Amino acid sequence: MAFVNSIKLFCSNWDKVLKLFLYYLFVLCVTVLLLLPVFFAFAEIIKNNLQVSEVASNYLTMFHASFGSYLHNVLSVILNIVKDAFSANAGLTVYAFLVVFLFLPFLFNVGKYVICEMLYGYMANKSKVSFFSALFKTLNKSLLYALAKTFYDIIFMSIMITCVFAVGLVESVSFQTYFLPLCEFLLLIVFFTLNKISTTGWAPAIIVFGVSVDKGYRRGIKVISRRFFKTILVNFLTYLVFILFTYIVGIYSLVVTIPLITALLCTFDMITFFTCQGMRYYINNKIIMTPKKLEEVDSFKKTKYII
């Protein structure tokens, strides 16, 4: 029910989704401009590795019988490019990593906080706030949240990337053919889901309760734990569809799908938080939801803690 309401809220706030898309597009353009010196400096390294491996000219979809081997080759090429780049210019390589894994996620997380703030105003009293107004209004909180969330994500990303490459670089041909795509697929879904479930209530708690970033994380975990399994299931299925779609269509689809999936999950975060708190909220101009409080929906074995 929460996910269905999320889709309804998502559709009734399409203008906010469009603004988030334009913001993310702007951030991506800035990121590309910052990475241009890296591309020019390492163009020869990238070109040589791609030519030797032929991964660019022999692109395969996930439905091809040799997709596992192709995926193995892609990961090998990426690792070789990073090694060669470090050997050629370590400082510029570190700069590239900072842009991709610190600057880009930081600005993306600012956008997530702003869209949650806008959704809160609409859900609470149907108020409509412009993206830039919400951005400047919440600048102090959004910057602190984005900084904390970025470093939190880096921990997950480091572990996930290590696991992805450890599994992807296995040399066994039979493993690559029959198991590699599935293993990588499941690894991505599990890590993204674990990261998301642990931060679902973070931004909503800061916004609704008006608390600090660290208190918001703790209170967010406490609130979302009341619907833990339902929340983790929705996140798991959402990432499953998202990653499967990317596998099928290709990595270029991320330019469109990332803003859309981010906005959809932000609406789900807010609705889950409101539902867990038993707070009334608007889905659109005609529908007002009044969820039952936790005590009324809790399982029988937990009633002793309520009494």
Side-chain angles (χ1 to χ4, degrees), residues 110 113-114 117 133-143:
V110 169
Y113 188 91
V114 172
E117 177 72 30
S133 177
L135 176 65
F136 289 115
K137 175 187 173 183
T138 63
L139 199 58
N140 289 336
K141 284 283 180 72
S142 64
L143 292 178

Side-chain angles (χ1 to χ4, degrees), residues 6-64:
S6 299
I7 295 175
K8 292 178 181 177
L9 182 64
F10 177 87
C11 294
S12 61
N13 286 269
W14 62 270
D15 56 328
K16 297 177 177 61
V17 177
L18 178 61
K19 290 171 185 175
L20 183 68
F21 174 79
L22 294 174
Y23 170 78
Y24 274 12
L25 193 62
F26 170 75
V27 171
L28 285 173
C29 290
V30 172
T31 302
V32 170
L33 288 174
L34 291 175
L35 289 175
L36 282 179
V38 180
F39 291 135
F40 289 133
F42 298 143
E44 199 63 31
I45 292 174
I46 296 171
K47 182 181 177 181
N48 290 339
N49 278 279
L50 290 176
Q51 285 179 342
V52 170
S53 63
E54 298 183 343
V55 294
S57 58
N58 297 326
Y59 174 76
L60 300 177
T61 66
M62 66 175 294
F63 299 107
H64 198 281

Side-chain angles (χ1 to χ4, degrees), residues 9-241:
L9 182 64
F10 177 87
C11 294
S12 61
N13 286 269
W14 62 270
D15 56 328
K16 297 177 177 61
V17 177
L18 178 61
K19 290 171 185 175
L20 183 68
F21 174 79
L22 294 174
Y23 170 78
Y24 274 12
L25 193 62
F26 170 75
V27 171
L28 285 173
C29 290
V30 172
T31 302
V32 170
L33 288 174
L34 291 175
L35 289 175
L36 282 179
V38 180
F39 291 135
F40 289 133
F42 298 143
E44 199 63 31
I45 292 174
I46 296 171
K47 182 181 177 181
N48 290 339
N49 278 279
L50 290 176
Q51 285 179 342
V52 170
S53 63
E54 298 183 343
V55 294
S57 58
N58 297 326
Y59 174 76
L60 300 177
T61 66
M62 66 175 294
F63 299 107
H64 198 281
S66 302
F67 180 70
S69 300
Y70 175 78
L71 192 59
H72 169 81
N73 291 336
V74 169
L75 293 174
S76 299
V77 168
I78 293 172
L79 189 61
N80 289 334
I81 289 174
V82 172
K83 287 179 180 178
D84 293 346
F86 261 109
S87 300
N89 192 330
L92 194 59
T93 307
V94 171
Y95 165 78
F97 272 87
L98 289 175
V99 171
V100 173
F101 294 106
L102 190 63
F103 175 80
L104 180 63
F106 174 78
L107 292 183
F108 270 22
N109 285 322
V110 169
K112 288 180 184 178
Y113 188 91
V114 172
I115 197 73
C116 284
E117 177 72 30
M118 295 169 72
L119 287 170
Y120 173 67
Y122 183 87
M123 293 171 69
N125 52 30
K126 289 197 299 182
S127 64
K128 293 190 175 183
V129 183
S130 68
F131 185 88
F132 285 106
S133 177
L135 176 65
F136 289 115
K137 175 187 173 183
T138 63
L139 199 58
N140 289 336
K141 284 283 180 72
S142 64
L143 292 178
L144 289 174
Y145 165 79
L147 187 62
K149 178 74 164 50
T150 300
F151 281 107
Y152 187 87
D153 289 342
I154 285 174
I155 297 172
F156 268 88
M157 288 289 290
S158 300
I159 299 171
M160 183 183 73
I161 291 172
T162 301
C163 292
V164 165
F165 274 89
V167 173
L169 296 177
V170 173
E171 295 294 338
S172 171
V173 176
S174 59
F175 176 80
Q176 294 172 15
T177 304
Y178 299 109
F179 299 107
L180 181 58
L182 179 62
C183 289
E184 298 288 32
F185 184 64
L186 291 176
L187 274 173
L188 291 173
I189 294 171
V190 169
F191 273 102
F192 278 123
T193 302
L194 288 175
N195 178 278
K196 190 68 179 70
I197 193 66
S198 61
T199 58
T200 293
W202 196 352
I206 298 170
I207 294 167
V208 174
F209 296 139
V211 295
S212 61
V213 173
D214 58 326
K215 286 184 179 179
Y217 177 77
R218 294 196 298 271
R219 294 188 71 171
I221 288 284
K222 184 178 179 181
V223 171
I224 298 302
S225 64
R226 300 168 187 171
R227 292 173 57 91
F228 178 78
F229 291 108
K230 290 182 180 179
T231 305
I232 201 170
L233 178 62
V234 169
N235 280 293
F236 181 85
L237 293 175
T238 303
Y239 280 119
L240 188 149
V241 173

